[in-house]
Structures are given as C-alpha cells and as structure tokens.
Amino acid sequence: MAAPAVYGNWKMNLDVVEAIHLTQQLGVLLRRSPLEHVEVGVAPPFVDLRSVGSVIEADRLGLVLCAQHVNEHESGAHTGEVSLAMLERLGVRAVIVGHSERRRLYGMDDALVARTLARVAGAGLRAILCVGEGLEVREAGGEAAFVAEQLRAALAGLAEGARAHVTVAYEPLWAIGTGVVAEAAQVAAQNRSIRATLADLGVDAPVLYGGSVSAENAAELAHDGAVDGFLVGGASLRAEAFHAVCRALDDCYAANR
Ligand code: 13P
C-alpha cells in the first residue's frame, strides 16, 4: 500500500513574507491537530524556498519542501532556470515534474518531461509526475489512452533504481483552477487505468489526484476515488483549507486502510 501524501502547489503566488506566514500558520494547525498517516509537502515559488525551508526546520514541522519545477541540465548557460543541485542545497526533497501549466504554457513536451523526471528521480528525490487529459480528449472518451501515453513517454526509459522515487499526480486539465472537480467515480476509473499502465511499466507509484480539491470534497475523493493523496492548488494557499484536506485523507486512512 502506498504511503498517503498531500502536496500543496502554491504556483506563482505568495511573496516571501506571505510564504513564511502561511508556513507558520500551517505549523500551528499541524501541532494542534497532528496527522498520523499522511505525508504533507509544500511547493512554494523558487524565491520562497529558502525561507520556507528555514521555518520548517526551526519549528520542526515535518513538512516536505518541494519545488514546482527544475531544469533538466546539471548547470550552465540556462538563463532564468534553476538546477537540481541548487534545490537540494536548500533542502528540497520533492519536485513537481511536467505540471500541465508547464506543458501548456512553457512548451514542456513529453521528451523534456521524461528527461527532467530522470534527473529528479535518478538523484533520489521524489518526482511528482503530473499527467491528465484536456476537456476535448475527455469528451471524445480518450482519457485513459491519453494518460497511458503520457505515462509511457515519461516512464518507459526510466532506470530501474529511479522508479521507487516516482509519484503520479492525475490532474485533468478541465478540473484545474475551475472549481469543477472530477467526480469520485471518474477519478477511481482513471486511477484503475493508471495503475494498470504503471504495472505494465514495472513502476509501483502512489497515485494522487489534483484539480479543485477542497476541504469539502477531499473526504469523498479519498474514499470513493481511491486515491493515495492529493496535489492541491488554490486550497493550499489557505492554511485551514489545506490542513482540512490533509485531515480528511488522514481520517480516511485511519478508518479504512
Ligand atoms: P487547483 O487545486 O487550484 O485546481 O490546482 C490544481 C493543481 O494544478 C495542482 O497542481
């Protein structure tokens, strides 16, 4: 059974002062209502990593420090980019790879996703690989095949030793930031198909769901969607809402698994 996890993807939100404040608020809630089963991580913008990492360490919050992206190369002439070694030095232990916003807005194709994933997982950091279909694909009934292809493209060539470091996040594009959450049954169906593809590829990875996850829908998604956790956008920017999502998953595990 995969360890349950919730990661907050702050995207391009919160300057360093706001980021410190949110981390401290989250710390208060986690101390007041600790989680027993669920690993919790936050993925702030690059410029906030150092400060958020310091709060996590000083207050012993046990949060996993995550990055939203990393460059595929080791170092060199890549203006505006950040390397994995730089992130590791700041205490980053997990990196989101191939988020749909990177794929759609910044030209990250399947081949680049695969190379970036190999860099992250190959170094022993957790690579949170994002996959998910757009609305047109879903309406045409092609969602299972589309996501299977994304998984194959990213994972087929991955070295055996790196596979244990992969987490998959299923994030249907039509549910991201829209308030339209996938139904638990849709998530469960896609999860079954993702797990079958992963088994084919010899990868035993936790499968998370992302897309308008909130305090209100997390319990149902965790239970009926049979997910191993969540990748949370908007709701992760508010400490209470994010903590409630983590709490819902933790309670689900305590009760059922
Ligand atoms: P929302 O939770 O805001 O829909 O974002 C989901 C997401 O993209 C997380 O990576």
Side-chain angles (χ1 to χ4, degrees), residues 9 11 99 101 171 175-178 210-213 231-234:
N9 176 7
K11 306 193 179 183
H99 190 280
E101 286 149 20
E171 298 204 311
I176 294 178
T178 56
S212 299
V213 174
L231 185 54
V232 186

Side-chain angles (χ1 to χ4, degrees), residues 48-170:
D48 299 342
L49 281 169
R50 171 86 197 234
S51 304
V52 169
S54 299
V55 175
I56 290 173
E57 208 178 296
D59 295 354
R60 295 198 175 86
L61 299 184
L63 293 170
V64 177
L65 188 63
C66 310
Q68 299 175 16
H69 175 64
V70 70
N71 188 269
E72 61 167 316
H73 299 288
E74 208 172 303
S75 64
H78 300 282
T79 301
E81 290 289 292
V82 166
S83 77
L84 192 67
M86 295 170 185
L87 297 177
E88 286 187 271
R89 181 74 83 162
L90 293 179
V92 167
R93 285 166 45 208
V95 182
I96 298 171
V97 177
H99 190 280
S100 61
E101 286 149 20
R102 304 274 349 154
R103 293 179 190 255
R104 195 165 48 85
L105 304 172
Y106 299 100
M108 201 171 183
D109 61 14
D110 278 342
L112 178 51
V113 169
R115 292 195 300 273
T116 308
L117 186 86
R119 162 87 44 208
V120 175
L125 275 76
R126 182 138 302 274
I128 304 166
L129 168 66
C130 296
V131 295
E133 80 286 354
L135 188 57
E136 280 170 26
V137 173
R138 162 73 56 174
E139 284 177 346
E143 68 273 10
F146 183 88
V147 167
E149 193 39 51
Q150 282 185 320
L151 290 170
R152 278 204 186 91
L155 295 167
L158 191 65
E160 186 112 22
R163 295 181 185 180
H165 304 295
V166 175
T167 289
V168 172
Y170 169 56

